[in-house]
Amino acid sequence: MKIPARKVNIEECAPIFEPLFVSGAVVRAVLSGNPNIKDSEEAVERVDVRAVQIRGDRNWQFSHRSAKKMTHVNLRSEEASEEVLRLFAETFRNCLITTADQEIQLQKQKDGSLVMRGLAPTSVSIPLTHDRAKQYILPDNTPCDFLIRLGVMSSSGKVIAQKWDKFRQINRFLEMVADVSSELGDTETLKIIDFGCGKAYLTFALYHYFTVIKARAVQIVGLDLKSDVVEFCSKTAVELGYTGLTFQQGSIRDFENKEPADMVVCLHACDTATDDALVDAVQRGAKVILAVPCCQHELLNQIDNLNMHPLLKHGLIKERLSSLITDSVRALMLETKGYSVDMLEFVDLEHTPKNLLIRAMKNGTADSSKRASEEYAQFRDEWNIHPLIEELMR
């Protein structure tokens, strides 16, 4: 429906806006032009509105951005259009509603009157063919507080050109989390530990995903060996108002917190530190474990199999084979403890062009655990190895 420019009052807008939100036709909405931003750093400069799925239902997320912070509010579809019009009437000069067919603009004139117009068809669409643009969990052109703070996005929500690889990595990680989020159950407050969190891009992403997109309460602890990293991440969490996210300095084995956890994440803990994290996760009864191993050197000088001599006589191939055997051992050990395990490809350009991610869910059976124990013993003996993780699991 093409809307010619015409003067309207706020009551006339409701019958036009409400069906667009209830039907889900709105791709995004933007409220801007707050005349009070020059007077206060707390004044909201802009509000971005987009659809989110919360427990299977469509809701609308309102992201309020000021000079100092960003806050989020999730509303049901029947409330969204009413809130957009309220914000426009009370605070903003401009409102832009983008659908798959057109853009509807609402503006306040200098004399106080309102003008509504339908603009040219928008380039933003929701294509139905298989050849469609990638739909990210954290979309481009939509401001996200932690991505802005960590330098991945500009304040307007545009991904920085040099940070597109990081942006894709974060979204790929969240896709893997989303696939298993149902395994976490309906615990009132999710408890998550991130071992070796580093600069914590993915730790902040986890917090945002569960609190903002899934509307769940969480307590996340990020652990890292470097004091400067922990100091930076702690300060950033406070500035973002992420009250359920804390960071501590220390190693996995020396981590004093031994409370149960719903999810344990361990990305790029070097060599046997990954084994420490997996064993720790099992001991905590974690429902979901996500681990990206690196530098798998432990078994390199142990593996020995006469039938595989053509592979083992070449150092480079032996090293790669050692890594695959190490991660196969880890998967089998998790299966013996009642987990089902997937091996997924995870892109991370900071370490290697592509990495393997171990994703484990505690939904195995006694029979599957027994079969895994038998398979593990045969596999271990076939390669003449004595993995540390077996000793630690005891």
Side-chain angles (χ1 to χ4, degrees):
M1 177 179 65
K2 196 81 170 174
I3 303 176
R6 64 187 178 94
K7 288 189 176 184
V8 295
N9 58 51
I10 203 73
E11 290 76 18
E12 293 177 83
C13 301
I16 297 174
F17 283 19
E18 183 175 355
L20 296 177
F21 280 95
V22 172
S23 67
V26 175
V27 176
R28 64 170 176 255
V30 179
L31 293 142
S32 60
N34 182 353
N36 299 317
I37 58 174
K38 295 180 180 180
D39 302 326
S40 171
E41 291 185 345
E42 301 295 331
V44 177
E45 299 175 355
R46 167 177 168 142
V47 176
D48 291 88
V49 184
R50 68 183 182 95
V52 293
Q53 289 288 328
I54 298 178
R55 302 188 188 280
D57 296 325
R58 181 193 294 116
N59 282 242
W60 296 89
Q61 183 181 106
F62 286 68
S63 299
H64 299 249
R65 177 163 59 87
S66 68
K68 286 191 170 182
K69 64 180 180 179
M70 181 180 293
T71 59
H72 305 279
V73 177
N74 295 321
L75 297 177
R76 296 191 300 271
S77 294
E78 57 270 23
E79 301 171 322
S81 63
E82 182 179 341
E83 178 65 4
V84 166
L85 291 174
R86 184 191 70 80
L87 289 169
F88 174 74
E90 296 179 1
T91 307
F92 297 98
R93 291 196 182 105
N94 302 303
C95 174
L96 187 65
I97 305 289
T98 301
T99 73
D101 303 314
Q102 65 178 341
E103 291 180 329
I104 302 171
Q105 186 179 49
L106 194 59
Q107 284 186 319
K108 289 178 184 175
Q109 305 300 299
K110 290 183 178 180
D111 61 4
S113 62
L114 308 182
V115 171
M116 178 185 289
R117 59 174 57 86
L119 304 178
T122 176
S123 60
V124 177
S125 61
I126 309 175
L128 300 179
T129 65
H130 66 280
D131 187 24
R132 62 182 185 271
K134 175 68 175 179
Q135 299 297 309
Y136 292 110
I137 291 178
L138 302 178
D140 184 20
N141 291 316
T142 300
C144 179
D145 54 1
F146 82 92
L147 291 177
I148 294 171
R149 180 65 181 80
L150 296 177
V152 178
M153 274 185 174
S154 67
S155 59
S156 65
K158 187 70 175 176
V159 176
I160 305 300
Q162 298 90 336
K163 292 293 185 177
W164 261 102
D165 288 333
K166 176 59 68 177
F167 178 72
R168 293 189 186 97
Q169 180 213 46
I170 292 170
N171 274 286
R172 175 59 178 146
F173 175 70
L174 291 182
E175 288 171 4
M176 294 176 174
V177 173
D179 287 344
V180 294
S181 61
S182 60
E183 300 288 336
L184 297 171
D186 56 1
T187 306
E188 184 175 349
T189 300
L190 289 174
K191 294 185 177 181
I192 301 173
I193 301 174
D194 185 356
F195 287 125
C197 62
K199 294 180 181 177
Y201 289 96
L202 303 183
T203 323
F204 284 106
L206 273 177
Y207 188 88
H208 178 91
Y209 175 75
F210 282 113
T211 60
V212 176
I213 298 177
K214 303 298 286 185
R216 299 194 65 174
V218 297
Q219 291 179 359
I220 301 180
V221 178
L223 185 74
D224 199 85
L225 289 170
K226 298 179 180 178
S227 59
D228 57 334
V229 168
V230 171
E231 182 180 353
F232 169 78
C233 293
S234 298
K235 180 182 178 182
T236 302
V238 171
E239 292 173 348
L240 290 170
Y242 285 12
T243 56
L245 176 59
T246 58
F247 294 90
Q248 297 183 29
Q249 181 185 1
S251 67
I252 298 170
R253 288 195 182 187
D254 296 334
F255 188 42
E256 294 180 355
N257 178 349
K258 300 300 181 183
E259 295 180 0
D262 297 291
M263 176 187 287
V264 170
V265 176
C266 177
L267 307 182
H268 304 110
C270 189
D271 201 15
T272 57
T274 295
D275 298 313
D276 292 335
L278 295 179
V279 172
D280 186 284
V282 170
Q283 292 173 344
R284 293 176 191 276
K287 300 168 187 172
V288 173
I289 303 171
L290 301 174
V292 177
C294 74
C295 307
Q296 298 97 316
H297 296 313
E298 182 209 358
L299 302 183
L300 180 60
N301 295 320
Q302 293 187 35
I303 55 175
D304 185 21
N305 185 317
L306 292 177
N307 295 325
M308 296 296 171
H309 180 68
L311 289 174
L312 300 179
K313 71 178 182 179
H314 300 289
L316 178 61
I317 294 178
K318 182 179 180 181
E319 183 177 354
R320 294 180 180 178
L321 181 61
S322 172
S323 295
L324 295 174
I325 291 174
T326 300
D327 292 331
S328 298
V329 163
R330 288 163 172 163
L332 282 169
M333 287 302 300
L334 289 170
E335 289 174 0
T336 69
K337 299 300 181 180
Y339 289 83
S340 61
V341 179
D342 296 324
M343 295 291 192
L344 306 172
E345 185 177 78
F346 179 61
V347 177
D348 186 356
L349 299 180
E350 288 183 352
H351 295 267
T352 58
K354 293 186 183 298
N355 279 305
L356 179 148
L357 181 140
I358 301 173
R359 186 172 68 185
M361 296 143 286
K362 194 169 179 59
N363 56 15
T365 65
D367 286 342
S368 63
S369 296
K370 182 180 179 181
R371 287 195 300 271
S373 296
E374 295 170 352
E375 187 176 359
Y376 168 74
Q378 181 179 352
F379 187 75
R380 176 200 59 201
D381 295 343
E382 185 75 20
W383 289 103
N384 294 291
I385 53 177
H386 304 281
L388 174 66
I389 192 171
E390 179 182 356
E391 179 183 341
L392 295 176
M393 282 291 188
R394 293 198 185 105

